[in-house]
Amino acid sequence: PECILFVTQRLTKYPLLIDPLLKSSREDKIEQEKLQKAMQLVKEILVDVDARVADKEKEDRQLEIFKRIDAKSYAIFKKDKFKKSDIISSNRKLKFEGVATLMQGRSKMQTVLVVVLSDCLFFLLENSHKYSFFTPENKAGVVSLQKLLIREKAGTESRGIYIISSNPAYPEMFELKVQNPKDKNVWIQSIRAAVLDCPSDESEVEDYMTAEQRQKLIDAKQANIREIICKMRQKDFEQAILLEEKIALQLSLLLDNEHHNSDQLGPTVEAFISQYGSYRDLVSDDCDTIEIWKRVLNTIQEISTLAASLYTAATGLPLSRSCSS
C-alpha cells in the first residue's frame, strides 16, 4: 500500500499524515485523543530536532571562527589576555553572531562581527578571510555577559542598540548599528537570551576558565584571606591595648577611693598584669593556648572560692552546690 511509503518520509511530513486522520475521525473520541497525542509528540520531536540542528550549526560555526582567527591576535578580558584558544576552551558555546557597525565617537565607525559566547561578548575584524580581535578605543575588547544590559536606541527607523555592562568592576557601553532595522529585535532578543543563560554565580563562571585562570583566582582568594586575617589580628591587638588601658583606669579609680597615693598606680597595674596576664598575650602569634586555658580555669576557681567566702560572711551559711554552680 502507498501508506507504507510514509514511514520513510522526513519527520516534517508526519504532521501532514496525522492531520487528515484527525479530520476523518471526529466521531471517534478515543481515536481523536490518540491522534492528538501523536500530533503533540511529533511536534515536540520536531522542535527538539530543530534545536539540536541549530546547536550543531552553531558548534560548526564556532569552530570555523576559531580556525579563521589570527593566532597572534588577542584582546583583554578582565585584565587577562583573551586568545584564540579561549573561544573553544572549557564549556563555551556560540550563542549568537552578527555583523554590525560599531560607533566610536561622532565620526568613527567600524564594521565588526559581534560574537556572543556563553559568558562573554567580543568583536572581530575580517581581513582577507581572516579574523582578528578588535578592541574599541579606550574600551574593553571582551565584555562579560554578567550584568549586561541591552537597550534599543530611540526612533522608529533607528538601527541602533546599546550594549551596557553594569558590572561595577568593568563598566562599559557600546553603540551598535545593525544592518537591517528588522534585525534589531532579533539582536536584542538573542543577546538577552544569552545574558539570561549566563551563570550569575562566581563558582559557575569558573567552568569557563582555563587552568591558569583558575589558579590565578585561587591565589587571589588566598591572598585576600591572608590580608583579612592580618587586619583582624591588628584589630585584636588594638582592642587588647584599649582593654589594658581600661584596667589601668579602673585600678586608678579603686586606689583613689582607698586614698592611696597615685605614685603607686604604675607598679600596681604592672603587678596586676604580671599576675593575671595581659590582653596582648591572648592575641600574640606565639601565645600558649594551653597555658591560657589553665589560667582561665584557675581564675574561675578563685572566683568561686571568693564568692563562697562572701556568701558565708553575709549569711553565716555555707554556699550550697546549686548556688555555686
Side-chain angles (χ1 to χ4, degrees):
E2 293 182 0
C3 64
I4 296 178
L5 297 176
F6 284 113
V7 179
T8 61
Q9 295 289 338
R10 292 185 302 172
L11 287 173
T12 52
K13 298 294 184 180
Y14 276 70
L16 300 178
L17 170 64
I18 299 174
D19 188 57
L21 295 176
L22 275 169
K23 293 178 180 178
S24 62
S25 61
R26 291 175 180 174
E27 297 180 358
D28 191 339
K29 293 184 178 180
I30 297 176
E31 190 69 17
Q32 276 274 308
E33 290 177 359
K34 291 181 179 179
L35 289 170
Q36 287 174 355
K37 182 65 175 178
M39 178 68 85
Q40 179 185 348
L41 293 174
V42 167
K43 288 182 178 180
E44 289 177 359
I45 291 173
L46 291 175
V47 170
D48 184 63
V49 169
D50 288 342
R52 291 178 181 271
V53 170
D55 289 342
K56 178 59 179 173
E57 290 175 349
K58 287 181 179 179
E59 184 180 334
D60 293 341
R61 176 57 178 158
Q62 182 179 357
L63 188 59
E64 180 187 352
I65 292 173
F66 164 76
K67 291 179 178 179
R68 291 176 60 182
I69 291 179
D70 185 0
K72 297 181 180 179
S73 179
Y74 68 89
I76 301 299
F77 182 39
K78 295 181 178 180
K79 300 180 181 180
D80 291 325
K81 284 186 177 181
F82 188 87
K83 305 182 291 295
K84 171 181 178 178
S85 58
D86 293 323
I87 293 177
I88 58 173
S89 66
S90 302
N91 297 322
R92 284 195 172 104
K93 294 181 180 180
L94 179 64
K95 294 293 186 178
F96 176 76
E97 62 152 329
V99 177
T101 302
L102 179 63
M103 310 302 294
Q104 299 189 89
R106 295 181 179 178
S107 58
K108 293 183 179 180
M109 296 181 291
Q110 180 65 58
T111 301
V112 294
L113 175 66
V114 182
V115 180
V116 182
L117 298 181
S118 306
D119 65 323
C120 63
L121 176 151
F122 58 89
F123 311 103
L124 294 176
L125 284 180
E126 184 176 8
N127 185 16
S128 301
H129 301 288
K130 280 284 187 180
Y131 289 131
S132 61
F133 288 103
F134 177 74
T135 301
E137 293 182 2
N138 303 319
K139 294 181 182 291
V142 185
V143 185
S144 172
L145 294 189
Q146 287 184 314
K147 299 183 180 180
L148 195 71
L149 305 176
I150 312 298
R151 294 289 183 265
E152 180 179 0
K153 190 174 182 179
T156 55
E157 299 298 326
S158 173
R159 296 181 289 121
I161 59 174
Y162 293 107
I163 297 177
I164 305 167
S165 174
S166 59
N167 190 331
Y170 308 98
E172 296 287 357
M173 186 176 79
F174 305 91
E175 181 182 352
L176 295 173
K177 281 190 176 180
V178 300
Q179 294 183 330
N180 193 325
K182 296 180 181 179
D183 297 335
K184 185 167 61 174
N185 287 333
V186 176
W187 276 70
I188 293 174
Q189 292 172 6
S190 299
I191 298 177
R192 282 178 177 171
V195 172
L196 290 175
D197 291 339
C198 177
S200 57
D201 186 67
E202 187 175 349
S203 60
E204 296 179 20
V205 175
E206 292 181 16
D207 294 339
Y208 300 99
M209 293 183 176
T210 62
E212 182 181 355
Q213 289 173 330
R214 287 195 185 96
Q215 187 59 46
K216 285 184 178 180
L217 182 62
I218 292 172
D219 293 342
K221 287 181 178 179
Q222 291 177 345
N224 187 45
I225 291 172
R226 287 194 295 269
E227 182 180 357
I228 292 174
I229 292 175
C230 182
K231 289 181 179 179
M232 290 173 63
R233 285 189 174 277
Q234 181 63 30
K235 294 298 181 183
D236 288 340
F237 193 77
E238 292 173 2
Q239 284 184 331
I241 294 175
L242 290 174
L243 290 170
E244 289 180 5
E245 291 176 355
K246 183 178 179 180
I247 287 177
L249 292 173
Q250 289 174 333
L251 289 174
S252 176
L253 181 62
L254 179 63
L255 292 174
D256 287 344
N257 289 337
E258 295 179 356
H259 305 289
H260 282 278
N261 193 330
S262 60
D263 293 338
Q264 297 177 355
L265 176 60
T268 304
V269 174
E270 292 177 0
F272 181 88
I273 292 177
S274 175
Q275 181 178 357
Y276 296 102
S278 68
Y279 283 101
R280 276 175 281 190
D281 293 338
L282 300 176
V283 296
S284 62
D285 294 333
D286 56 347
C287 66
D288 188 347
T289 55
I290 297 176
E291 180 63 27
I292 291 173
W293 180 244
K294 289 180 179 179
R295 285 187 180 183
V296 170
L297 291 178
N298 291 334
T299 303
I300 292 174
Q301 290 175 356
E302 291 177 5
I303 292 173
S304 298
T305 303
L306 179 60
S309 300
L310 292 173
Y311 184 82
T312 302
T315 63
L317 299 173
L319 187 65
S320 64
R321 188 177 185 84
S322 59
C323 292
S324 62
S325 59

